[in-house]
Amino acid sequence: MDAHAALKTYRAKRNFAVTAEPADGGEASEAGTLSFVVQKHWASSLHYDFRLEVGGTMKSWAVPKGPSFDPADKRLAVQVEDHPIAYSSFEGQIPKGQYGAGKVIIWDKGLWTPVGDPAKGLRAGKLVFELHGHKLHGKWALVRMKGKGDKQPPWLLLKEKDDFVRPAAEFSVVDEMPDSVKRLKAPRPAASAPAADVPPEAALPETLAPQLATLVDKPPSDPGDWVYEIKFDGYRLLARVQGKKLQLFTRNGNDWTHRLKPLQAELQRMELPEGWYDGEIVVLDKQGKPDFGALQQSFDAAKTSPIVYYLFDVPYCAGHDLREQPLVARRALLQRLLAERASERVRFSDVFEAPPGDVVLSACKLGLEGVIAKRKDSAYLSRRADSWIKLKCSQRQEFVIVGFTDPQGTRTGLGALLLAVHDKAGQLVYAGNVGTGFGQAVLKDLTRRLKALQAERSPLADTQGVEGRPHWVAPELIAEVSFGEWTRSGRIRHAVFHGLRSDKPPASIVRERPAAAPKAAKKKPAAAGSHALSTRLKVTNPERVIDASTGATKVELVRYYALVGDLMMAHLKGRPVSLVRAPAGIGKQLFFQKHAEVEKLPGVRQLDPGLDAEHPPMLAIAAAQGLLSAAQWNVVEVHSMNALASDFERPDRMVFDLDPGEGATWRQMQEGTELVHAFLQQLKLPAFLKTSGGKGLHVVVPLRRQHGWVAVKGFAQAIVQHLARTIPERFVAKSGPRNRVGKIFIDYLRNGQGATTVCAWSARARPGLGISVPLAWDELPGLPASDHWNIRNVQTRLDAGNGPWDGYARAARSLTTAMRMLDFKE
């Protein structure tokens, strides 16, 4: 059958005066090459259209779940009509009323190589082939199922065993690589190795948690697979460049731009591409070695012009996410960028020139602190990982200062600093003292600082072993100290003071214990362009069922948060959060957590304890990685507060949680929500809508930060009480179940200090794992239920994303006029 005749069924199903799909055409591939495309298609249900060029047309199969790199996954692939070759470049919307109405994107494309004669394979019902795409690689097979009829023959799409195999529990290519590749050039087949990764396009994230190195006891067993850099004696610093805006952040996400104005000006002069740049700031001595004490003095004197910034990584650059690219590729790009913009103050951190076996010895002979070794092929991970390791010349770490002793002899100010670290329970334990390394200026400054912090009681869990008559201080200062060894009783010996640190919180200081050197990496290529969760986060018990009603597993939830992380961060940035954990699944006991240690939760940070002095520090999600860390920690729901941590006493939003009582219909919920919207419009207040992911709806009013918690909560209560009085057949202001039978309770208590509301895009710890989704008001009448979207069908909503809330920040209003209209007095 010729190509024109083969397309008869395709043409008969479409009205080309209405749809933008091609009627015919498209050039066949060059001799010796064949094209393939996978189109992600939101029709009546989401599926993936898998197409192979054969005989002048695209042979096509609809694959509901999409391809999998796990050979154990036998994916149903229903054969459909042949499509024209020109269809391979189609991406757009098929209009309503047309066959296959819905959105289509080019999810993957490239070349394919048949194993044997493809025409014979199709007739025989087994087609084996290799794919060379942006996402799909290696050997695959299509196998026709027997005895199922011929109208739309069902096949199975299978991954053959080769170097590209990935267990489903570790990697889901459709979940972790959801976007279009239309603008990427089609990759060519590799002769022997997988094609190089294609950096995905990505918006520049507002925050980024840096990768941290692991202290190890000896060099790696495969030294040739690592690069070695100087372990700088300075402060970690990340630079965020976006247009004319350039910000400088510490490893904990603190904005130090104002403290480093000369460095900011130099980086702006260099006009680096938009991106995140990672490095270390130092002050060099006369021999060109980093001097930590001099760095600290430059900050104390507010004279930071001598600071030099050594850059060693670039996780994001020029609109692309480079984190999954090999380290050597990221470094090569960074080196080229800096070579084109020569600067004495911003330099490239070069590799250590010494044989791998002698690299640590060479660094120590030069008087350096040690080296950092990094795997050449490693991804950039926003957490501590063993793909970056620390090899130190001597023992050195930070300690919390808990007290000091009186000076002896001719010394003035103080004698020694009393040091401590936090144990696993978070308590301070004594670690010894340091009495050397102080100059007169340093002694004077330390004495002044410590006397201002003096306390009557010891901050230590146990003062046993502390000699003499110590003067205790509040544990707020951190000392950088080198020492000879740890004793069996947990004390340091032969200690030398190097300076104070201000780039880390005291709560993060623990005893550093070297881990075993990492084993040689197994030489196994990953799927090109892969964003495998296993490279960013180890998911324990991935197949544990967390929702018995659907069979949803823990790894599905983690992948969901990986998918919506950037969307969710727009609602979480800078906000204290509460986390709902379900360690035994959502049908069992839940834990509502506002405080936690975050050392093992990369991307989650503790906020300033001063925000809530009566309790431990509150938590914030600092980066999308924090959502994955939380999900790994069995968190299902993420709730956020109504104020930013930067201005916690003045809320920047007001929330109305509409909750249906027993017997209230969904139609009543829709109408009631519209009534709330109408009343807020009368009060000249903007209102934004989202589903709760459960039974209710949330109406959110963005506010200018002018009123305190008491006023905002009181006014929210006044609004609810007014509605309940005016329309008592529809609304109630009392929460008891008996009060709201057949009615809607509007919860205004969400506006109290410390109260939280489930965040947009958060999953809910309810059967079905519904999600909270931003809505446009004109979508409400057609919404079938508040839990319409869940973690499994969210891809049908990703295209809309946060679009329904465009203009949210600009819409913020003061409550003053609305209060006057309702005759509300603060």
Side-chain angles (χ1 to χ4, degrees), residues 346-406:
V346 181
R347 307 179 187 180
F348 179 66
S349 172
D350 216 334
V351 297
F352 206 87
E353 294 297 336
D358 301 332
V359 68
V360 179
L361 180 61
S362 300
C364 298
K365 286 182 177 179
L366 290 172
L368 300 174
E369 186 184 349
V371 298
I372 299 289
K374 302 175 182 178
R375 283 196 188 276
K376 294 178 179 179
D377 61 352
S378 62
Y380 187 95
L381 312 176
S382 289
R383 57 181 172 85
R384 195 176 298 281
D386 64 3
S387 54
W388 290 14
I389 57 176
K390 292 185 286 189
L391 298 159
K392 291 187 177 182
C393 294
S394 63
Q395 300 206 61
R396 177 168 168 164
Q397 71 159 80
E398 301 90 9
F399 295 87
V400 180
I401 301 175
V402 293
F404 62 94
T405 62
D406 290 324

Side-chain angles (χ1 to χ4, degrees), residues 42 46 65 90 102 111 222 228 231 276 353 387 399 412-413 420 435 439 509 569 715 742 760-761:
W42 287 268
L46 173 66
K65 292 187 176 181
F90 173 70
L111 302 177
D222 52 347
Y228 302 85
K231 186 180 187 309
W276 276 97
E353 294 297 336
S387 54
F399 295 87
T412 59
I509 304 304
M569 285 308 301
F715 187 57
W761 301 105

Side-chain angles (χ1 to χ4, degrees), residues 405-415 438-440 442-444 447:
T405 62
D406 290 324
Q408 301 292 323
T410 59
R411 176 178 282 189
T412 59
L414 59 86
F438 310 112
Q440 284 301 317
V442 172
L443 272 174
K444 184 177 180 181
T447 302

Side-chain angles (χ1 to χ4, degrees), residues 750-789:
R750 302 285 181 182
N751 299 289
Q753 186 169 15
T756 60
T757 304
V758 71
C759 181
W761 301 105
S762 172
R764 301 305 306 272
R766 302 172 180 228
L769 293 173
I771 57 177
S772 177
V773 174
L775 289 173
W777 281 102
D778 60 8
E779 293 181 287
L780 180 56
L783 183 70
S786 188
D787 59 357
H788 173 63
W789 290 286

